[in-house]
Amino acid sequence: MPPVLLPASAAAFAPRSAPNIVLSKVEPWLTATLKRTNRVKRPLNSVPQHHRCLTETLSSPSAIWTLCSLMLPKAPESELRKDDNPLVEALFNYQMVAVEAYIVHVDMVSQHEVAFKLTPETIETLVEYHKDIHSVDTAAATWNWSEKEVQLKKLQEDFKQAINRFVYRTNAIALEGLEEDGAGELLRGKSDEVRSAIMGLFLPLLPPPPRVVDVVRPTPLLPSSTGAENWWQPTMSQPQQSSMDSWRVLPSSPNTTSGDATSSMWATMSLNEMQLPSPSSSYSETYTTDCDSPPQFYSAPMTTAPYTAAMTTAPIPQLPLPSTLLQQQCSTSMGYGGFDWGRYQDFALPYAM
């Protein structure tokens, strides 16, 4: 839809002047309307004759149209009279305000519309009502804040500008409501449209939105923070020192190079004094089928600590490793160094239990 250019008389605060009328052809309903409203009979046979007659009729000071009527309260709500009879309340508390306007533009060519502008008397009445009654009621319905008066004055000024700019545009068929001396009123329910449009200009006073307060939450300490470094690490318990003498515990790793030097220790140490740990399951000898290799023995490490324990049992002879038996592929009844392997169950060693 192309933009419609209204005459200068339709601008806000502009004085009234002759309407701008554009005609292209003679409409039968317009001819009948002009003949009905003009007291002086004049020929209406051409477009210029219709243009001249319509311009003179709408330019008359009495050519005031009544667009609608508004029922407005006479005072703020806190000052209205209270009565049990609603008819009494309506008579004392409300008033009828006629919304009057004049025609500033008639387009019978492109848009086929007519434009109305409010009269200065109607504008002044609505501005006073907004300031004295509407502003008081809307201010009482909101809470107080520091800039409330400033916003209230701005609301009044915005309404004054909006009501002066208000122009109602409708179909050109509205000219059927034309009466004598150019006056008239809207037909076909158009008054409801004007009433809704004008009441929509009475805006409420809106308070400012509540301020959003940012909740400051403490930053959690992470392991990489500069705070205490040991709060995340679990407390490691210190291992208890063994009360046992270090020379009484024999390591499980074999040392075949010192077997000859330490063979006397096996002969002098009693069974009760020896405390051997369980052999490690990860230790294994390389399997071979060669039986000519010399046997391998477990031997205790060299130590210079004196032995003070008394011998209470018979000395234990040197024992070969179980893996050597596999290398020699001999039976369990074979004797070695005067020891019968068939009686190995009689000697219950700690690591075999």
Side-chain angles (χ1 to χ4, degrees):
M1 182 177 180
V4 179
L5 300 178
L6 298 177
S9 58
F13 306 100
R16 182 181 179 181
S17 60
N20 181 32
I21 299 175
V22 181
L23 299 177
S24 61
K25 63 180 180 177
V26 176
E27 297 286 348
W29 62 269
L30 181 59
T31 303
T33 301
L34 293 177
K35 288 181 178 180
R36 176 176 55 85
T37 58
N38 284 274
R39 297 177 183 179
V40 180
K41 302 300 181 180
R42 62 176 68 184
L44 297 173
N45 300 322
S46 63
V47 174
Q49 292 177 350
H50 283 76
H51 185 278
R52 185 182 308 108
C53 179
L54 186 60
T55 302
E56 293 177 358
T57 303
L58 297 180
S59 299
S60 173
S62 59
I64 302 299
W65 286 59
T66 301
L67 301 183
C68 65
S69 297
L70 302 177
M71 181 174 287
L72 303 176
K74 298 180 180 180
E77 186 177 0
S78 59
E79 301 177 6
L80 295 180
R81 179 177 176 178
K82 305 298 181 181
D83 195 283
D84 296 337
N85 191 349
L87 182 59
V88 175
E89 287 188 354
L91 293 175
F92 284 94
N93 297 334
Y94 293 92
Q95 58 181 343
M96 292 293 297
V97 177
V99 178
E100 298 178 344
Y102 53 88
I103 295 177
V104 295
H105 178 66
V106 177
D107 183 7
M108 302 287 293
V109 178
S110 60
Q111 302 298 327
H112 296 276
E113 66 178 9
V114 57
F116 295 87
K117 190 178 188 303
L118 300 180
T119 61
E121 293 79 12
T122 300
I123 293 176
E124 183 180 359
T125 301
L126 295 177
V127 170
E128 291 180 356
Y129 166 77
H130 185 278
K131 180 180 179 180
D132 299 335
I133 300 176
H134 176 75
S135 297
V136 175
D137 290 341
T138 188
T142 57
W143 50 276
N144 296 326
W145 66 93
S146 59
E147 300 180 356
K148 183 176 182 179
E149 294 298 331
V150 177
Q151 295 295 330
L152 189 61
K153 292 182 179 180
K154 184 178 183 299
L155 183 66
Q156 296 172 1
E157 184 63 25
D158 292 345
F159 176 80
K160 185 177 180 180
Q161 296 290 333
I163 200 64
N164 277 276
R165 291 194 304 264
F166 180 80
V167 175
Y168 176 68
R169 297 160 57 183
T170 185
N171 194 278
I173 199 65
L175 291 175
E176 290 183 346
L178 185 66
E179 299 175 358
E180 295 182 0
D181 300 330
E185 61 182 13
L186 295 179
L187 305 176
R188 303 181 181 183
K190 298 298 182 179
S191 297
D192 296 336
E193 295 181 2
V194 180
R195 185 180 300 107
S196 299
I198 292 180
M199 295 307 296
L201 300 178
F202 292 89
L203 302 177
L205 180 63
L206 299 178
R211 297 180 180 179
V212 179
V213 180
D214 296 335
V215 180
V216 180
R217 297 181 174 87
T219 305
L221 295 177
L222 299 178
S224 60
S225 63
T226 58
E229 299 296 339
N230 296 329
W231 72 276
W232 183 262
Q233 300 177 358
T235 303
M236 299 298 294
S237 60
Q238 297 295 334
Q240 297 182 358
Q241 297 182 355
S242 175
S243 59
M244 185 180 302
D245 295 339
S246 59
W247 64 273
R248 293 180 178 270
V249 180
L250 299 178
S252 59
S253 60
N255 188 0
T256 58
T257 59
S258 59
D260 298 338
T262 58
S263 57
S264 60
M265 181 191 67
W266 289 84
T268 58
M269 186 178 296
S270 63
L271 183 62
N272 294 335
E273 293 176 342
M274 284 195 306
Q275 298 183 5
L276 298 178
S278 300
S280 175
S281 59
S282 62
Y283 178 80
S284 63
E285 293 288 339
T286 303
Y287 177 77
T288 178
T289 57
D290 189 6
C291 296
D292 297 335
S293 61
Q296 303 295 328
F297 297 91
Y298 279 115
S299 62
M302 293 292 296
T303 178
T304 57
Y307 295 95
T308 58
M311 183 187 305
T312 57
T313 59
I316 299 178
Q318 298 181 358
L319 301 179
L321 292 176
S323 59
T324 59
L325 301 179
L326 296 177
Q327 297 175 1
Q328 299 176 3
Q329 295 186 0
C330 299
S331 63
T332 58
S333 61
M334 178 182 177
Y336 182 81
F339 179 77
D340 188 4
W341 279 96
R343 300 177 56 204
Y344 73 94
Q345 295 181 355
D346 298 340
F347 298 92
L349 298 180
Y351 63 85
M353 298 180 65

